[in-house]
Amino acid sequence: MASQGLKQAAGLPELENGRLKYGGSLEEAVGAADPYFAVDPQNILRNETVRRSLLANGLILTSQGIPFLHAGDEMLRSKYGDHNSYRSPDVINAIRWDRKQAFIPVFQYYKGLIELRRKHPAFRLHGRQEIERSLEFLRCDSGVVSYMLKDNAGGDVWNNIVVIFNANTETITQSLPNTGGCWNIVVDHSYAGTEAFRIADNQEVQVEGLSMMVLYDSYGEPAPRSKIIEVHYDRPDGDYRGWNLWVWGTGIQDGQCDFRQMENGRAVARIEAEIGVQSVGYILRLNDWEEKSADGDRFIDCSGSEKLIKVLVRERRPASPGNAHDPLKLSSGHTA
């Protein structure tokens, strides 16, 4: 609001170090302000300030990596023009929960983007190598960024996904790749989710100003692109803090691989290896090489046809200094 030059129109107070700049009651000043004066309750998603907020968080929720939303963004939380409110009282920082109902279309839009991210691994790729292989930029100029997540990225059931961001206030036209099928729209300026609600005509789309669009070109079972190696690490002391794997030769994402879950008292890490890889190397280490396996380099045989390979790494304590690890294949077979 303040960045659009509407601070005075909204009656936002002049703040300095968490207090009114010229004295007086902060509670009364906040009560007199109306940061939502320009938002039509019957057409919330058409408001420019709202559109800017949706676009900003849409960028976050469809980007690779771990997304972070500020508390209250889903209900258009206002801090009344205080750009750095850590010193301000609750009258500025409070989350006003009644605004969730008032701005339910915004809440539903973010809910749809979160569902899209959760259901489609193309938005949650594992690292730089996989991102570089799966992401192709289509356009990056004049306030427009568009890219394609291609070839069942991350094992996604959608073959190709196009994401478009338009930071201009006017509508733009974006050409779409010719993949041999029609493009189904699941996100635009009015709706976000996982179900297609309209189809793009021809090989281009109109993207409204200050909005985003997500499309996919077909739906079906992905072609096999990788196999999964599950490493089950068994420590007698049950202390897995800081332990991780350093892996190489996967053809997808080498480097640190963390133990992310527990199963039957063991820590479990999942390594993704490209189809055709014969073996994957690994070293078991503590934190960033504070300690490592006394056995040095180890290799997991991936030459078979199995899609899921499970390996047990059991800690044993020899008389000499250091520890050894005993990799034993537990079981293998196709995933369900």
Side-chain angles (χ1 to χ4, degrees):
M1 186 70 67
S3 64
Q4 293 174 253
L6 300 175
K7 186 172 183 177
Q8 185 174 358
L12 302 182
E14 291 286 339
L15 298 169
E16 188 173 79
N17 296 328
R19 296 181 176 85
L20 286 175
K21 188 173 182 179
Y22 302 108
S25 169
L26 182 57
E27 287 77 8
E28 291 180 6
V30 167
D34 184 8
Y36 308 105
F37 78 96
V39 180
D40 180 357
Q42 303 303 316
N43 205 355
I44 293 170
L45 300 187
R46 299 299 302 186
N47 177 264
E48 180 179 337
T49 306
V50 175
R51 294 278 280 263
R52 290 181 183 276
S53 180
L54 295 181
L55 179 59
N57 283 314
L59 280 160
I60 297 298
L61 288 171
T62 52
S63 294
Q64 303 299 324
I66 299 174
F68 175 86
L69 296 184
H70 197 282
D73 272 1
E74 73 279 14
M75 56 190 79
L76 298 182
R77 181 186 184 186
S78 173
K79 292 193 177 183
Y80 298 90
D82 192 341
H83 72 284
N84 193 10
S85 66
Y86 75 98
R87 289 168 293 194
S88 299
D90 287 347
V91 68
I92 294 293
N93 287 310
I95 296 177
R96 293 164 169 82
W97 295 100
D98 58 322
R99 289 181 182 156
K100 176 181 176 182
Q101 184 59 41
F103 301 122
I104 198 68
V106 176
F107 175 83
Q108 295 291 355
Y109 194 90
Y110 290 151
K111 183 179 178 181
L113 288 176
I114 292 170
E115 182 185 18
L116 177 70
R117 184 182 189 88
R118 182 175 61 84
K119 287 188 175 181
H120 290 279
F123 297 103
R124 297 177 281 109
L125 301 177
H126 297 304
R128 177 177 175 179
Q129 290 175 319
E130 188 171 23
I131 292 170
E132 289 179 344
R133 187 180 65 249
S134 302
L135 190 149
E136 177 184 338
F137 281 100
L138 305 175
R139 180 177 176 183
C140 192
D141 61 75
S142 305
V144 179
V145 173
S146 63
Y147 60 86
M148 180 168 62
L149 297 164
K150 58 186 181 179
D151 302 329
N152 302 104
D156 207 296
V157 293
W158 288 349
N159 290 343
N160 299 290
I161 303 170
V162 167
V163 183
I164 309 166
F165 304 108
N166 179 18
N168 301 286
T169 55
E170 66 275 2
T171 299
I172 60 99
T173 299
Q174 174 63 48
S175 299
L176 299 171
N178 185 2
T179 59
C182 63
W183 286 95
N184 307 281
I185 301 173
V186 294
V187 176
D188 71 355
H189 61 281
S190 64
Y191 172 85
T194 58
E195 299 296 328
F197 57 91
R198 61 188 174 95
I199 296 174
D201 296 326
N202 303 317
Q203 288 300 122
E204 62 181 29
V205 286
Q206 305 292 314
V207 183
E208 288 205 9
L210 300 174
S211 76
M212 64 180 294
M213 185 175 286
V214 179
L215 316 89
Y216 71 92
D217 71 339
S218 63
Y219 190 93
E221 291 299 321
R225 62 176 295 277
S226 65
K227 56 181 64 179
I228 300 298
I229 304 167
E230 281 191 0
V231 177
H232 295 243
Y233 180 34
D234 184 13
R235 287 182 62 87
D237 61 7
D239 187 359
Y240 299 97
R241 291 173 296 181
W243 287 98
N244 61 81
L245 297 172
W246 185 265
V247 301
W248 64 92
T250 65
I252 294 179
Q253 182 63 35
D254 296 344
Q256 180 171 321
C257 180
D258 295 324
F259 293 101
R260 296 187 178 275
Q261 66 186 71
M262 298 296 296
E263 185 176 312
N264 298 323
R266 299 167 177 154
V268 180
R270 291 169 63 87
I271 304 169
E272 190 176 8
E274 196 171 42
I275 296 292
V277 166
Q278 298 297 300
S279 69
V280 169
Y282 75 93
I283 292 176
L284 185 64
R285 66 176 192 166
L286 180 64
N287 296 319
D288 191 11
W289 302 107
E290 293 176 18
E291 183 181 334
K292 67 177 183 178
S293 166
D295 289 342
D297 297 358
R298 287 279 189 169
F299 295 89
I300 300 169
D301 182 7
C302 305
S303 60
S305 61
E306 302 95 334
K307 300 289 181 58
L308 174 64
I309 302 170
K310 294 186 177 181
V311 175
L312 171 62
V313 180
R314 179 177 288 125
E315 186 87 12
R316 53 191 170 95
R317 303 184 180 280
S320 58
N323 298 322
H325 304 85
D326 185 19
L328 302 171
K329 180 175 282 193
L330 290 176
S331 63
S332 62
H334 293 277
T335 56

